[in-house]
Amino acid sequence: MLFLFSEKKTPIMLTEASHKLIPMTDFVIEYYSNEGYADLQTLSLMKNYANFLRKPLTLGMFVPVDPKGNVLKEPKNYLEWKSLDHNDGKRKAASGFEEYLDYQKAEQNCLFEGFTIGYNGYSVVRIVASYDQAVELSFNKNDMMSAAFADVESLTVFEDIYLTNNALIAIGIKK
């Protein structure tokens, strides 16, 4: 079993709910305090998490962007379209719905939940966490990188940053 910290710094078991980004030391200590040993799967999970924390931050980790890094606008009625069973993210083509499929594919590349565009200007894109307005990041439009935060690990200074299912899968926490 893998545990992450809740807001009160007490261990919580991973479930289908949102999971917070935590520092690597907390990740390792919390795991060992509950498991007490390391097997190859555990070591692999820890290596995956360490590599995840080292990833350089890009705008596409937070909001859907096109291949050139430009922010995509959510298509009209996207949430309703996405809720239909046949739009589960596995379709490769849908005549007349290319914009929806492109947005869905870009959305699947996001590693952090709940971010919205606060400002999309000429040279800077500012995003804000919908669940905490104090979590605000800016990205340069030239390289789509953050000047203030170099990598995922640097985000652990925030109390609440939630991981998407795609991030959990990349780490090896979910199947």
Side-chain angles (χ1 to χ4, degrees):
M1 294 261 152
L2 178 63
F3 294 80
L4 292 179
F5 288 106
S6 70
E7 289 178 23
K8 297 179 183 175
K9 300 294 184 203
T10 55
I12 57 171
M13 190 170 68
L14 287 179
T15 63
E16 293 296 315
S18 296
H19 307 292
K20 289 184 184 181
L21 179 70
I22 61 173
M24 186 69 191
T25 51
D26 292 348
F27 186 87
V28 172
I29 291 168
E30 186 59 26
Y31 190 88
Y32 278 108
S33 70
N34 290 294
E35 291 297 323
Y37 66 92
D39 56 14
L40 289 178
Q41 183 178 356
T42 303
L43 294 174
S44 175
L45 183 65
M46 289 183 189
K47 180 182 176 201
N48 290 348
Y49 193 67
N51 286 330
F52 176 75
L53 290 175
R54 283 188 170 175
K55 286 181 181 268
L57 282 186
T58 61
L59 182 59
M61 292 178 166
F62 298 89
V63 295
V65 297
D66 68 15
K68 294 179 181 178
N70 299 311
V71 175
L72 292 174
K73 184 178 177 186
E74 184 175 298
K76 186 177 180 182
N77 300 321
Y78 175 72
L79 293 177
E80 290 83 5
W81 176 87
K82 185 178 165 183
S83 69
L84 301 174
D85 288 340
H86 60 278
N87 295 326
D88 59 2
K90 296 175 184 166
R91 290 174 65 169
K92 301 287 186 232
S95 183
F97 291 96
E98 292 80 9
E99 178 185 10
Y100 292 77
L101 291 172
D102 291 344
Y103 189 86
Q104 186 175 45
K105 183 178 178 182
E107 186 179 53
Q108 291 170 350
N109 292 327
C110 294
L111 301 177
F112 304 102
E113 287 185 357
F115 282 86
T116 59
I117 303 296
Y119 172 76
N120 190 357
Y122 177 72
S123 62
V124 172
V125 176
R126 183 176 51 84
I127 59 172
V128 180
S130 58
Y131 48 83
D132 184 353
Q133 298 298 304
V135 179
E136 181 179 302
L137 305 167
S138 292
F139 291 84
N140 182 320
K141 278 198 166 181
N142 292 331
D143 60 7
M144 295 302 160
M145 306 292 280
S146 172
F149 300 96
D151 56 20
V152 172
E153 189 168 26
S154 63
L155 294 177
T156 60
V157 298
F158 294 110
E159 184 70 28
D160 297 325
I161 298 284
Y162 295 98
L163 303 175
T164 64
N165 286 336
N166 296 326
L168 296 174
I169 290 167
I171 295 165
I173 294 174
K174 292 180 89 173
K175 300 170 195 79

